[in-house]
Amino acid sequence: WSHAEVNTKIHGEPFSIPASIAREVLLICQEAVENASRHGKASRIDIACGFLESGLEIGVIDDGCGFDVGAVPNATGPHFGLSGMRHRIERLGGTLDVESARGVGTRLHIRLSGASISKAEANSLASLQTHPKTTTTTP
């Protein structure tokens, strides 16, 4: 669905991320790429993922048409838009910053601290202990 060139770069030493965080971050990045392609008409999208001592940082930068960030209404329908992306990352204890202007493309910057990642991991483990997986066998 996209004709944009998508480039990825990883910085730092990758570390384990709980599946619940990885899923949310993936969905945010997918939404960002789709928005850049569909609405921004970007021809190039760069995604940089930084595994840092302080946590995880991801940047999504496109060369699309850009937009006025303050004028974006809350999206409805099957796509979450910026408000949905922000809600997803804030629920994990992270932040999402958006910079854009007409004619200059868009920059999204996602940050998750190491403390937020550890907390989500602890919550995941506690949930598994509270609700153990049950298996049944049929003779």
Side-chain angles (χ1 to χ4, degrees):
W1 47 261
S2 174
H3 297 290
E5 173 186 332
V6 179
N7 301 291
T8 58
K9 192 175 271 189
I10 297 175
H11 305 281
E13 187 64 35
F15 50 79
S16 179
I17 299 172
S20 60
I21 288 181
R23 178 183 181 279
E24 295 299 318
V25 169
L26 174 63
L27 291 172
I28 292 167
C29 290
Q30 284 178 328
E31 184 75 18
V33 169
E34 185 168 347
N35 287 346
S37 179
R38 179 178 290 169
H39 303 297
K41 308 289 189 252
S43 61
R44 181 182 171 112
I45 304 167
D46 295 318
I47 303 170
C49 180
F51 290 90
L52 311 172
E53 285 184 31
S54 59
L56 180 68
E57 292 193 17
I58 299 173
V60 181
I61 302 167
D62 71 66
D63 67 352
C65 64
F67 62 96
D68 179 0
V69 176
V72 175
N74 287 333
T76 57
H79 301 286
F80 291 99
L82 289 176
S83 62
M85 289 189 280
R86 184 168 280 116
H87 177 73
R88 281 184 188 278
I89 199 68
E90 287 175 352
R91 195 174 61 221
L92 298 172
T95 60
L96 170 70
D97 296 317
V98 181
E99 298 174 31
S100 187
R102 294 211 178 273
V104 296
T106 302
R107 294 174 168 261
L108 275 76
H109 192 198
I110 301 161
R111 289 183 200 91
L112 266 174
S113 70
S116 294
I117 293 169
S118 295
K119 184 177 178 182
E121 189 168 35
N123 288 343
S124 259
L125 290 173
S127 176
L128 285 175
Q129 290 170 352
T130 306
H131 305 290
K133 208 183 242 188
T134 57
T135 57
T136 56
T137 55
T138 0

